[in-house]
């Protein structure tokens, strides 16, 4: 049975090139707000041990963590060590230039790449062929410009408010906002004070210097320009690093009139929720922004985070214990009911799942096409390491969807008692349209950073 279903999906996925071609018909997409430079660095256990030694830190000092923040340069080493020894991912922030300079001098980096949801999505939409992508940047020196693809269809504003291709801008007075993505490998060992620590899982620690995005500083040229034109789509993110004691809730509220202005000209506004640690800010994003956007994108972790702040702790726990289709589907329907955002898309291991109002402007078939394109391109990104070149976009064309994905899809189609969902990815339930697409799995992905942003934005803008 599964074989027949797989063949069905093979035929459906064969339409990806035509869908990609249709993206050229999209006139304007806007991306906002967070754009930064990611400095990617692979750190070995040995180098970590040396850095700790030369900082003169003992094991006790290294493990003495009071706050998940970078208040002095030693905190950088505390964060790396914590994530390395537990195999976990965390992001700690600083606004202190002294720590930034310390990281430049003592850590260095292997390569620079585009960072931040806004920046990553701008490059994605540019390369898939949207006619014009207007990217917000609050800092745009040469180092930032260099992370934009050399494409004339991605534009931002120079210091005089003139629109230019983003890669050509150099606002030389701006300080580059650099986030260190410090990666480490499973099995690597660090020796501290004679004690050996083995890294249990490959992961990353992000040490972020970002005085502007942490305050949601906006380029007013961008706001004025995009609020007075008709954009087809806006992909919004970048509020997730705000904190309540840094005025975060008020900053979130400041975005609402900007969303309303985009809406006035008919844009479909999509919010990428992202992992938001501060509970007050998370609530504000949900209550003030998600409810006023047309579409949102989340992964399973973010779905659980939402459940936790809307009074659904029990469901959150169930999802945490068993993070598979059955619980996630129930959770997604619950969140849809509470937020009332017209379209919500969840992506998790093996499957993309969209629940939307029947009256929504994008049809279920269009959604499915977009999600198939997203699944294909995401696999291309994982398999080749980047989608900075057009050739890589359809790298995965012809590969089968994953068995895990089909199993998860079958679970949902059993719940709603409609085999059509399993065969075609389209059904209806609880008064909503349900669209589900299994993913193509890549055994050893060359990269994972920015995957969620890529999936959400292509699913929506490729929905044609
Ligand atoms: C976070 C990080 C940024 C990274 C992005 C990837 O926003 O701060 O550096 O590029 O996540 O999604």
């Amino acid at each position: 049975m599964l074989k027949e279903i797989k063949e069905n999906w093979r035929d459906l996925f064969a339409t990806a090139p035509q869908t990609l071609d249709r993206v050229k018909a999209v006139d304007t997409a806007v991306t906002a707000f967070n754009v930064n430079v990611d400095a990617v660095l692979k750190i070995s256990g040995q180098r970590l041990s040396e850095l700790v030694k030369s900082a003169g830190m003992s094991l006790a000092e290294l493990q003495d963590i009071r706050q998940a923040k970078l208040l002095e340069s030693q905190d950088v080493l505390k964060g790396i060590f914590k994530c390395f020894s537990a195999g976990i991912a965390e992001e700690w922030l600083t606004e202190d230039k002294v720590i930034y300079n310390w990281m430049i001098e003592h850590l260095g980096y292997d390569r620079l790449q585009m960072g931040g949801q806004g920046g990553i999505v701008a490059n994605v939409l540019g390369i898939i062929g949207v006619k014009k992508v207007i990217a917000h940047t609050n800092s745009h020196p040469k180092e930032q410009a260099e992370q934009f693809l050399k494409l004339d269809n991605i534009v931002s504003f120079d210091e005089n408010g003139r629109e230019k291709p983003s890669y050509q801008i150099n606002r030389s007075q701006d300080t580059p906002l650099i986030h260190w993505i410090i990666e480490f490998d499973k099995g690597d060992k660090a020796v501290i004070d004679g004690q050996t620590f083995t890294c249990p899982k490959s992961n990353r620690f992000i040490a972020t210097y970002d005085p502007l995005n942490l305050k949601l500083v906006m380029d007013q040229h961008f706001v004025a320009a995009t609020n007075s034109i008709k954009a087809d789509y806006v992909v919004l993110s970048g509020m997730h690093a705000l904190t309540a004691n840094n005025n975060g809730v008020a900053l979130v509220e400041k975005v609402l009139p900007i969303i309303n202005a985009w809406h006035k000209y008919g844009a479909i506004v999509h919010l990428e929720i992202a992992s938001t640690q501060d509970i007050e800010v998370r609530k504000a994003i949900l209550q003030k922004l998600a409810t006023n956007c047309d579409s949102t994108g989340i992964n399973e972790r973010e779905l659980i985070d939402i459940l936790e702040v809307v009074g659904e702790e029990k469901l959150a726990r169930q999802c945490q214990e068993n993070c598979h289709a059955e619980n996630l589907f129930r959770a997604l329907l619950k969140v849809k009911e509470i937020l009332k955002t017209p379209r919500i898309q969840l992506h998790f291991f093996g499957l993309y799942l969209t629940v939307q109002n029947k009256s929504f402007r994008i049809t279920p078939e269009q959604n499915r096409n977009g999600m198939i394109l997203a699944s294909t391109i995401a696999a291309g990104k994982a398999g080749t390491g980047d989608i900075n070149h057009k050739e890589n976009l359809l790298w995965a064309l012809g590969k089968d969807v994953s068995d895990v994905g089909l199993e998860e899809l079958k679970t949902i189609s059993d719940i709603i008692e409609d085999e059509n969902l399993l065969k075609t990815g389209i059904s209806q339930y609880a008064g909503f349209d349900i669209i589900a697409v299994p993913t193509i799995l890549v055994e050893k992905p060359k990269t994972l950073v920015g995957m969620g942003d890529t999936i959400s934005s292509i699913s929506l803008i490729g929905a044609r």
Side-chain angles (χ1 to χ4, degrees), residues 34 36 38 91 115-117 120 179 181 206 208 240 449-450 453:
N34 60 329
N36 65 270
D38 278 350
E91 179 171 3
Q117 280 73 10
I120 291 167
H179 300 193
I181 315 283
I206 305 186
T208 287
H240 57 284
V449 73
D453 319 330

